[in-house]
Amino acid sequence: MWLPCRCTTKYVAASIRRGVSASSLHALRRGRSSWNSAAFMPESAGFEGVSGRDALHDYSVSHSENFWAAVARQRLNWIRPFEAVQDCDLSQGRIKWFEGGKLNVSVNCLDRHVHTCPERVALIWERDERGSEVRYTYRELLEITCRLGNLLRRHGVKKGDCVTIYMPTCPLAVASMLACARIGAAHNVVFAGFSSEALAERIRDAQSSTVITVNQGVRGGKITELKRTVDAAVQSCPTVRQVFVAMRTEKRVEVTDRDFALEEEMLKEDVVCEPAAMDSEDVLFLLYTSGSTGKPKGLVHTQAGYLLYAALTHRYVFGYHDGDVFGCVADIGWITGHSYTVYGPLANGGTTVLFESTPVYPDPGRYWDMVERLRINQFYGAPTAIRLLIRYGDQWVKKYDRSSLTTLGSVGEPINTEAWEWYNRVVGEGRCPVVDTWWQTETGGICIAPKPSEPDAEIVPGMAMRPFFGIKPALMDTEGKLLTSNNESGALCMAQPWPGMARTIHNNHQRFLETYFQPYPGYFFTGDGAYRSQEGYYQITGRLDDVINVSGHRIGTAEIEDVVVIRSDEAHLSDFILIISVTQFAKRLPKTRSGKIMRRVLRKVVDCDLDSLGDLSTLDDPAAVQEIIEGHEKLLSK
Ligand code: 6R9
């Protein structure tokens, strides 16, 4: 693996400098007593009559064009300014932002920070081997990105091509994404845990001729033969012309005519690479999510709108400030890794952690040991990992100094109250706001989260609560009518476009329209259900295709799981227990590799509809499904 060639004393000096600037920033923040919207968001100084968070949110939806134009001008570096802020029509599924504008995403993530602070740390690679982290400055990351960009160009990768990246979370994976952006190619990152069949399907659908991978992966102390998986996959991918192989371990692997040693080839390249001038609406990347039926969907995100939205949400949902260390532990193979490990933090000139390991390797203290060692300020993880860690006990958390933490984030699934409380009380010592962030691959960035809010505004456990700037949620009833009151549940839709939303499904615009825009004409349909409380806060109740209908009441999985998990809440439990007439116990549930329970599979098993289980390529361990099927057969035969 390409390592920065610097002496260690420089790391020490850099971290001391960072420590000083971070603590002086904290002092400044403490001194800010009341809301000053211009200090909070400089652009808002130009928004007439706006003072306070709620007023700023109102403005962002009622004067959406003004809001996004000001933010886009201020926060992105343009090669040519945009002419139109937006050209969107949700009833047609047409979404275009900042047309006429030209920019380069890698310049926005790298060059502009190299000009102002070349030695600031961009990446801290928390390698699987504990305590062996490696830091990359902005200057170094730009250098490897340029070498990679030149290499891809020399090998014929052009604007409009799509490069598949099958790599664990590591600096060369980030540089590969940015190198694609630099030369105008799209990237398609495939989670480096997927099987060769799942990889092949995604390579074929993306029509990639170039794949970038590593010889072997290292995760949780185990070696995975990633290059071998690529070899198997490309057997059925006639489009693939070349495979670049980085060396994560010392192990030599078998090479074929189409393989190139990535680091060796990079050495031959220049450290300057001319960035392509991209249109705002050119494709930045495809990212596949599993569909509940049929093929996985390659959601398409474009340049300016996506980057702007990732940057703005990163800054304001997590309260990220210059000098902070941001620790998002999601793999780069997921949208969370794209938006909050790579694009959001780098667009903001931040320091971002690349976590290669697992929450329990070498022991269940791994996250908190890392927080202490890297002085992480914002930690962003998934409820599934939190629930796992609760079982190992508080001592694994308390062993480490977490005083650097200021904000804790959660994403991927509803976070049940018990997990939320533990995260807040044990991990955050009650002093860090917990932000339960709701969003999707389709939305590009966080849409609903407790923050930003006024400094003393309440945060309700287990609720995503407040729409982000420019986001206007809507709830629909079963007849497709808009629900306008509070204290109601319905299908969660978005009534207005925002720059971060996906633009299409690769090769299948029709499916894009049918899935997201036709169910509720004029609205973007998320597929999730939500409850709007008396106070107007949103709580996600789960996927609507998982909803259980009891005597006309549509009950979301989150609502049931919350009462079943928290057995102490007897009052609630008695309300629901009636609907659980038959219980099947299972050792484990079918989960995706990112930790989401695939509830639709359970439903199909209960319905005895085993022929239409849908896309299972993202399953962590298909054996779990088999166990459930067998358990269900036993139950039926009783
Ligand atoms: C970012 C991400 C999207 C689906 C989404 C919803 C579920 C995500 C959630 C949440 C409740 C939250 N989801 N965050 N449910 N509360 N805070 O996870 O993207 O992999 O596309 O999944 O995940 O069901 O629709 P993606």
Side-chain angles (χ1 to χ4, degrees):
M1 188 63 53
W2 188 283
L3 292 175
C5 42
R6 275 171 288 123
C7 63
T8 41
T9 47
K10 234 169 149 186
Y11 294 161
V12 178
S15 56
I16 292 172
R17 273 202 309 279
R18 266 196 322 285
V20 170
S21 63
S23 60
S24 48
L25 266 168
H26 286 308
L28 269 179
R29 265 181 262 162
R30 271 198 302 276
R32 203 171 56 206
S33 55
S34 63
W35 172 280
N36 171 341
S37 50
F40 173 76
M41 182 185 274
E43 296 90 334
S44 68
F47 303 152
E48 220 168 289
V50 172
S51 114
R53 187 267 171 202
D54 292 346
L56 185 52
H57 180 263
D58 288 349
Y59 185 90
S60 72
V61 291
S62 62
H63 296 75
S64 162
E65 291 218 3
N66 283 359
F67 177 86
W68 288 114
V71 176
R73 278 191 204 110
Q74 182 80 25
R75 309 223 171 207
L76 296 180
N77 270 24
W78 294 90
I79 297 169
R80 192 171 88 193
F82 52 88
E83 284 151 18
V85 181
Q86 59 145 317
D87 173 17
C88 302
D89 180 351
L90 292 186
S91 65
Q92 308 274 318
R94 184 175 74 239
I95 308 133
K96 291 179 177 174
W97 286 86
F98 312 120
E99 277 189 307
K102 284 193 184 285
L103 79 171
N104 185 279
V105 166
S106 80
V107 168
N108 276 276
C109 290
L110 300 172
D111 306 49
R112 61 171 167 163
H113 311 310
V114 171
H115 290 143
T116 55
C117 44
E119 300 310 315
R120 179 183 288 178
V121 174
L123 309 178
I124 309 178
W125 181 24
E126 171 74 3
R127 300 166 79 235
D128 194 53
E129 300 87 343
R130 167 143 82 179
S132 68
E133 68 271 13
V134 185
R135 291 176 165 79
Y136 289 70
T137 64
Y138 271 93
R139 185 178 51 74
E140 288 160 339
L141 183 57
L142 174 61
E143 194 180 302
I144 55 173
T145 300
C146 284
R147 285 182 190 271
L148 246 156
N150 287 328
L151 175 63
L152 294 175
R153 258 191 195 142
R154 183 160 59 84
H155 281 256
V157 178
K158 297 182 306 300
K159 197 169 162 175
D161 291 351
C162 179
V163 174
T164 293
I165 300 173
Y166 185 70
M167 296 170 106
T169 302
C170 65
L172 277 179
V174 175
S176 300
M177 295 163 75
L178 294 169
C180 290
R182 195 157 193 96
I183 64 169
H187 59 69
N188 165 36
V189 181
V190 178
F191 174 60
F194 282 164
S195 65
S196 60
E197 294 83 19
L199 172 61
E201 186 177 14
R202 285 158 179 77
I203 294 175
R204 279 196 303 267
D205 192 76
Q207 297 140 305
S208 283
S209 54
T210 303
V211 177
I212 311 180
T213 189
V214 298
N215 61 338
Q216 295 181 312
V218 184
R219 190 155 181 266
K222 295 196 194 82
I223 300 282
T224 44
E225 301 292 341
L226 296 184
K227 168 63 166 54
R228 215 178 280 162
T229 309
V230 171
D231 287 343
V234 298
Q235 298 275 317
S236 59
C237 300
T239 51
V240 174
R241 278 191 289 115
Q242 50 196 357
V243 177
F244 294 98
V245 188
M247 297 294 282
R248 170 61 180 86
T249 65
E250 303 288 307
K251 180 87 189 298
R252 298 250 140 240
V253 288
E254 219 173 279
V255 285
T256 67
D257 296 349
R258 50 164 192 262
D259 298 337
F260 296 91
L262 184 67
E263 290 95 335
E264 274 171 38
E265 294 294 320
M266 280 169 66
L267 275 176
K268 301 177 191 162
E269 300 296 335
D270 202 81
V271 295
V272 177
C273 174
E274 179 65 21
M278 303 299 288
D279 290 331
S280 295
E281 285 297 337
D282 281 336
V283 176
L284 178 61
F285 64 84
L286 321 183
L287 187 60
Y288 286 85
T289 66
S290 63
S292 46
T293 53
K295 287 203 326 176
K297 305 179 268 203
L299 286 154
V300 173
H301 283 281
T302 56
Q303 314 266 327
Y306 169 80
L307 187 67
L308 179 67
Y309 197 72
L312 204 71
T313 47
H314 170 253
R315 165 71 184 80
Y316 288 103
V317 172
F318 299 99
Y320 186 88
H321 286 79
D322 255 3
D324 286 351
V325 176
F326 192 78
C328 167
V329 291
D331 193 279
I332 50 151
W334 312 122
I335 190 68
T336 310
H338 281 55
S339 300
Y340 300 108
T341 304
V342 180
Y343 288 112
L346 296 180
N348 287 330
T351 299
T352 183
V353 174
L354 307 180
F355 183 67
E356 191 183 35
S357 195
T358 80
V360 291
Y361 181 77
D363 59 50
R366 179 59 186 258
Y367 279 167
W368 325 118
D369 164 57
M370 174 177 77
V371 165
E372 174 182 302
R373 225 176 337 103
L374 310 184
R375 304 293 299 157
I376 290 175
N377 301 104
Q378 293 85 7
F379 180 87
Y380 194 26
T384 178
I386 303 297
R387 287 194 289 263
L388 173 72
L389 294 178
I390 291 176
R391 288 199 238 144
Y392 288 96
D394 300 2
Q395 72 278 11
W396 288 108
V397 185
K398 293 186 172 154
K399 216 171 138 183
Y400 300 100
D401 173 15
R402 283 114 50 228
S403 59
S404 58
L405 288 173
T406 58
T407 303
L408 298 170
S410 163
V411 61
E413 282 208 292
I415 178 163
N416 52 298
T417 319
E418 188 195 18
W420 192 99
E421 300 277 5
W422 185 84
Y423 201 23
N424 181 49
R425 181 176 49 81
V426 180
V427 177
E429 301 169 310
R431 55 183 177 76
C432 307
V434 171
V435 288
D436 172 10
T437 63
W438 177 87
W439 59 296
Q440 315 176 294
T441 307
E442 292 84 341
T443 70
I446 295 164
C447 288
I448 309 181
K451 294 268 177 183
S453 62
E454 304 274 351
D456 48 3
E458 66 174 331
I459 295 185
V460 184
M463 263 203 183
M465 298 183 78
R466 303 180 173 93
F468 189 72
F469 302 126
I471 297 295
K472 189 176 174 189
L475 298 181
M476 302 291 178
D477 71 8
T478 40
E479 268 94 60
K481 278 214 306 288
L482 182 69
L483 295 166
T484 52
S485 328
N486 284 352
N487 194 16
E488 283 194 291
S489 296
L492 178 64
C493 295
M494 297 294 162
Q496 263 180 219
W498 66 99
M501 65 195 299
R503 304 300 196 252
T504 187
I505 292 175
H506 181 64
N507 280 338
N508 203 343
H509 193 62
Q510 192 51 35
R511 187 175 178 195
F512 184 66
L513 300 178
E514 282 164 14
T515 312
Y516 305 109
F517 298 96
Q518 284 169 7
Y520 301 95
Y523 293 83
F524 167 82
F525 173 49
T526 67
D528 284 348
Y531 163 70
R532 186 166 49 222
S533 73
Q534 200 60 56
E535 298 77 20
Y537 302 141
Y538 290 87
Q539 178 171 31
I540 310 305
T541 49
R543 300 292 305 166
L544 277 178
D545 36 22
D546 293 330
V547 156
I548 297 170
N549 201 328
V550 186
S551 329
H553 297 287
R554 291 153 62 82
I555 301 173
T557 52
E559 294 166 284
I560 296 175
E561 283 158 23
D562 219 27
V563 288
V564 174
V565 173
I566 309 169
R567 295 210 180 88
S568 59
D569 195 344
E570 296 295 338
H572 261 95
L573 193 59
S574 62
D575 292 343
F576 281 99
I577 203 88
L578 291 174
I579 64 169
I580 310 171
S581 49
V582 181
T583 311
Q584 177 183 337
F585 291 94
K587 278 208 212 85
R588 54 197 179 137
L589 295 171
K591 286 193 181 181
T592 65
R593 298 263 179 167
S594 62
K596 290 191 215 297
I597 301 169
M598 263 199 196
R599 296 183 178 79
R600 66 178 158 82
V601 170
L602 300 177
R603 187 195 182 90
K604 294 286 176 192
V605 173
V606 172
D607 291 347
C608 300
D609 189 6
L610 301 185
D611 291 336
S612 50
L613 293 179
D615 170 33
L616 299 181
S617 65
T618 59
L619 263 182
D620 183 35
D621 185 357
V625 179
Q626 202 45 44
E627 284 171 21
I628 305 266
I629 293 173
E630 283 162 19
H632 190 244
E633 277 164 4
K634 273 203 200 114
L635 197 73
L636 291 181
S637 63
K638 269 192 193 152

